[in-house]
Structure formats: structure tokens, C-alpha cells
Amino acid sequence: MTKWPDGTTRMGFDVTEFDTLRAETLAEIGEADLAALEDIRVRALGKSGAITALLKTLGGMTPDERQAKGPQIHGLREAVTNAIAARKAALEAAALEARLATEWLDMTLPVSAGRLGGVHPVSQVMDELAEIFADLGFAVASGPEIEDDWHNFSALNIPETHPARAMHDTFYFPDDKTVDGKRMLLRTHTSPVQIRTMTKQKPPIRIIAPGRVYRSDSDATHTPMFHQIEGLVIDRGIHMGHLKWTLETFLKAFFERDDIVLRLRPSYFPFTEPSAEVDVGYSREKGRRVIGGSEGWMEVLGCGMVHRRVIENCGLDPDEYQGFAFGTGVDRLAMLKYGMDDLRAFFDGDLRWLKHYGFRALDVPTLSGGIGA
Ligand code: PHE
């Protein structure tokens, strides 16, 4: 057994063994791949690893011995730890380099539009709406499609016995599928996002919330799933003038015409007071109805001043904060603007229909470049 320079062998290992262990381990690390590296780490530094065993011998040494061998053993541990880390980093960097070398795109190649597919009119109209309302300072909010009774109805001033519940043809989940004791349903409108926004965010609030909604209804103008967009503004001193201006500005931008005429008819929604239904005037051009003018009227959305009970339900003081809300069907807006007449075709996935009514993937609607793409 070779002696340490100070002549001892009492540590239970021999100096040549120590050097060999060091040299061999470092050499092995230098050639290891990632899997082998982990194996070496376990053999050297793991619970019953060689270097761990050496470290354990320190406890049985006299203070003098420990002073002599301690730094060597710790030095070995550090050298091996560092070598493993360095090798690992080098291997990972090399692997990343290799991946980057194979996964690349030539951004200068012209796009082959055929391979990109098209944008569905619903997505197109939602993008158009987001662009128009962003310009007016509205953020886009969202909420879950699986809602609870409270957000979809009660908080919106539609109590259990209210006839409006029956009107909504709600898809309820089975009674044994409650969440935190709450009965769940597929949201029947985007209005619950009003509640989710007001309970989460302090006024001033200016949001739109586009999304899917569900009602048990199906014919040429109704599908069980369709799309709505909600608008909500809450601040101090908001009145119906703000509502009318916002709707007029939005509809002019959306239909890209200045001769848009609105008619607000008194109506009823439990969550707004007063409530109105908005008609937009149309004229006839070559037998077709075209938005603009006032030869006839088409209903486009529901709106009103947010009911004070709804504001209260969200923990806000209705004497301090007022606001307006509106809601409309995105699919319906798309049909009016782009002249489709059967709503069911929207969800058939017929490629011929999509090719005809779809939009080019790279034509992003902007106010400056044209909302209609
Ligand atoms: N949620 C109503 C509907 O689905 C629309 C609406 C929204 C009306 C906001 C007024 C205010 O018919």
C-alpha cells in the first residue's frame, strides 16, 4: 500500500488509488454521453459512490489527518462535480446546435398560400371586431364555456324562477356533475364574462368578450353552438349617449360605410335597464339587401345600461359606477357583412364553402389597411 506524502496509510485508501480514481473518473467523464454521465455521477458522487465513501472516512480521522486529507478529498469531489457539469453543458449545447441545424425555415421564401389554408369567416369577423374595439380602447376578455348558474343567470339578475331561463334553452350538466356544489351548464350567452370581469377588475372597465355560446336550438338561422360578442363599459358617469356613439362608431367601421343608420327600440333584458334592441337600416341594391340607408330595418344587437343590481352583485357601488353593455351574434354579423344565408354551413366544414367564403391567412384586418380584408 503506497503511503501518503506524510507517511500515513491510516485513511483506508492509498495515494495511488486516489490518483487513479481521479484520473480515471475525469477521463471517463471526458468521453461520456449524457446517459453515461449520469451513471458516472452515481458511481462517484451517489449515496454509495466512491468519492462519497472517501468523504465518509473524514469523520474517523484525527484533526491532523483531516487537515492533510480533507482538502484533497474535497478537491477531488469538486473537480469531478465541475467536470460532470462542464461535460453536461457541452453535450447539451452540442445537441441544441445539432437540432437548430436541422430545424430551420427560410423566411425569405415566398409563402405558398395554398398550403396555409384559409381563415373561417367567424375568426375573420372576431379579428375585425377586436381590431375595431382595440382602437376604441377596449381589451379582449374571455370566460369559460362551462359556466355555473350564478355567473350565467343569477348574478345577471335572472333568478331561478325567471322566465328568461326557459327562453335560453339551456344545456345543463347532470345534477351529479356539480362543481363546488354548483350546478354547471354550457353558457347560453357571453354576458357571464361581464360578471367575471366586474368581480375581478376595478373600473374603469372597457372590454369585449367574443366566444362560443350554446343553446338547444337548430334550424337555418340557429345552431346549438354559435358565437357572440359581448361589450362592457363601466366607469363614473357613463350614459346612453356613450352607448349609442360606441355602437354607431363600431357598426360604421365594421360595415365600412358612413351611411349606417341605427334605430334603438325599447326592449327588455333582465341585466340592463333601460334596454334596447338595435336595428341597422338597409337598402336594396339589385334585389339584395345591403347595409346602409333606411329602406328597411334589421335587428343586429341587444344592449342597455347595466342594471344596478348586476353592478351590486359584483361588489361595486351602483351609485358610484354606471355603464353599458351590448351583445350580438358574431355569425349573424358575418352573414350580414359577407352575404351568407345559411348559418348551418358555418359549421359543416365543407371545404368548397370555406374556399368560397374563407379569407386569406395573411390578410390581417387593420383599420388602416381595411377591416374587411
Ligand atoms: N346576452 C343577451 C343575449 O344573449 C344580449 C345582451 C348583452 C343584451 C348585453 C344586453 C346587454 O341575447
Side-chain angles (χ1 to χ4, degrees), residues 286-303:
K286 293 185 206 125
R288 280 192 79 93
R289 287 179 183 184
V290 182
I291 299 292
S294 56
E295 273 178 51
W297 300 97
M298 238 167 339
E299 186 192 320
V300 284
L301 49 87
C303 63

Side-chain angles (χ1 to χ4, degrees), residues 156 168 188-192 194 213 215 226 228-231 268-269 271-272 275-276 301-305 324-328:
L156 287 161
H168 276 219
T188 56
H189 51 175
T190 43
S191 300
Q194 289 188 32
V213 301
R215 290 184 201 177
F226 59 105
Q228 282 193 337
I229 182 163
E230 194 83 5
Y268 173 77
F269 299 103
F271 34 92
T272 47
S275 304
L301 49 87
C303 63
M305 300 306 293
F324 62 79
F326 57 88
T328 181

Side-chain angles (χ1 to χ4, degrees), residues 144-332:
E145 287 166 33
I146 297 175
E147 261 298 4
D148 57 65
D149 222 86
W150 189 77
H151 285 93
N152 196 80
F153 290 127
S154 311
L156 287 161
N157 196 33
I158 314 177
E160 203 89 43
T161 52
H162 200 286
R165 289 216 182 189
M167 271 162 46
H168 276 219
D169 302 309
T170 312
F171 286 115
Y172 282 99
F173 282 84
D175 282 339
D176 59 344
K177 294 279 187 298
T178 57
V179 174
D180 298 332
K182 283 181 286 192
R183 187 159 188 213
M184 305 307 281
L185 46 83
L186 292 177
R187 66 177 180 188
T188 56
H189 51 175
T190 43
S191 300
V193 185
Q194 289 188 32
I195 305 300
R196 293 197 172 266
T197 307
M198 280 190 273
T199 49
K200 204 170 57 198
Q201 182 188 327
K202 280 226 138 329
I205 292 170
R206 278 195 296 266
I207 57 118
I208 53 164
R212 295 192 188 99
V213 301
Y214 303 83
R215 290 184 201 177
S216 178
D217 208 348
S218 188
D219 58 40
T221 51
H222 298 88
T223 47
M225 185 282 296
F226 59 105
H227 300 84
Q228 282 193 337
I229 182 163
E230 194 83 5
L232 175 71
V233 169
I234 302 283
D235 203 346
R236 294 189 177 89
I238 299 292
H239 54 71
M240 279 195 92
H242 295 121
L243 168 61
K244 184 162 187 240
W245 180 87
T246 305
L247 295 178
E248 224 164 53
T249 307
F250 142 53
L251 290 168
K252 279 182 181 168
F254 180 72
F255 288 111
E256 297 177 276
R257 293 178 72 125
D258 278 331
D259 62 346
I260 297 285
V261 190
L262 297 191
R263 187 170 79 170
L264 270 71
R265 266 183 299 110
S267 183
Y268 173 77
F269 299 103
F271 34 92
T272 47
E273 181 59 36
S275 304
E277 251 156 322
V278 178
D279 297 338
V280 59
Y282 65 80
S283 36
R284 288 188 187 281
E285 278 174 26
K286 293 185 206 125
R288 280 192 79 93
R289 287 179 183 184
V290 182
I291 299 292
S294 56
E295 273 178 51
W297 300 97
M298 238 167 339
E299 186 192 320
V300 284
L301 49 87
C303 63
M305 300 306 293
V306 179
H307 199 295
R308 48 185 295 126
R309 231 179 267 155
V310 173
I311 294 181
E312 244 163 32
N313 288 342
C314 297
L316 296 172
D317 177 1
D319 290 324
E320 187 178 0
Y321 292 111
Q322 303 77 38
F324 62 79
F326 57 88
T328 181
V330 175
D331 322 273
R332 193 173 151 70

Side-chain angles (χ1 to χ4, degrees), residues 42-218:
V42 170
R43 276 192 286 120
L45 303 164
K47 244 196 182 139
S48 39
I51 297 174
T52 311
L54 284 179
L55 283 162
K56 282 185 190 148
T57 64
L58 287 172
M61 291 181 196
T62 66
D64 284 349
E65 282 170 343
R66 201 176 298 128
Q67 212 173 19
K69 274 89 193 198
Q72 279 183 287
I73 300 176
H74 280 295
L76 173 62
R77 187 194 52 180
E78 209 177 302
V80 169
T81 308
N82 291 343
I84 288 177
R87 176 75 185 158
K88 191 164 176 228
L91 285 172
E92 281 170 352
L96 184 63
E97 278 305 318
R99 249 185 83 183
L100 287 175
T102 54
E103 295 175 12
W104 57 273
L105 270 180
D106 185 349
M107 301 300 281
T108 63
L109 278 177
V111 172
S112 138
R115 283 174 53 195
L116 280 176
V119 175
H120 193 282
V122 171
S123 306
Q124 169 74 19
V125 166
M126 283 187 177
D127 288 348
E128 292 176 15
L129 296 171
E131 173 69 13
I132 292 168
F133 279 102
D135 195 54
L136 298 175
F138 285 65
V140 175
S142 64
E145 287 166 33
I146 297 175
E147 261 298 4
D148 57 65
D149 222 86
W150 189 77
H151 285 93
N152 196 80
F153 290 127
S154 311
L156 287 161
N157 196 33
I158 314 177
E160 203 89 43
T161 52
H162 200 286
R165 289 216 182 189
M167 271 162 46
H168 276 219
D169 302 309
T170 312
F171 286 115
Y172 282 99
F173 282 84
D175 282 339
D176 59 344
K177 294 279 187 298
T178 57
V179 174
D180 298 332
K182 283 181 286 192
R183 187 159 188 213
M184 305 307 281
L185 46 83
L186 292 177
R187 66 177 180 188
T188 56
H189 51 175
T190 43
S191 300
V193 185
Q194 289 188 32
I195 305 300
R196 293 197 172 266
T197 307
M198 280 190 273
T199 49
K200 204 170 57 198
Q201 182 188 327
K202 280 226 138 329
I205 292 170
R206 278 195 296 266
I207 57 118
I208 53 164
R212 295 192 188 99
V213 301
Y214 303 83
R215 290 184 201 177
S216 178
D217 208 348
S218 188

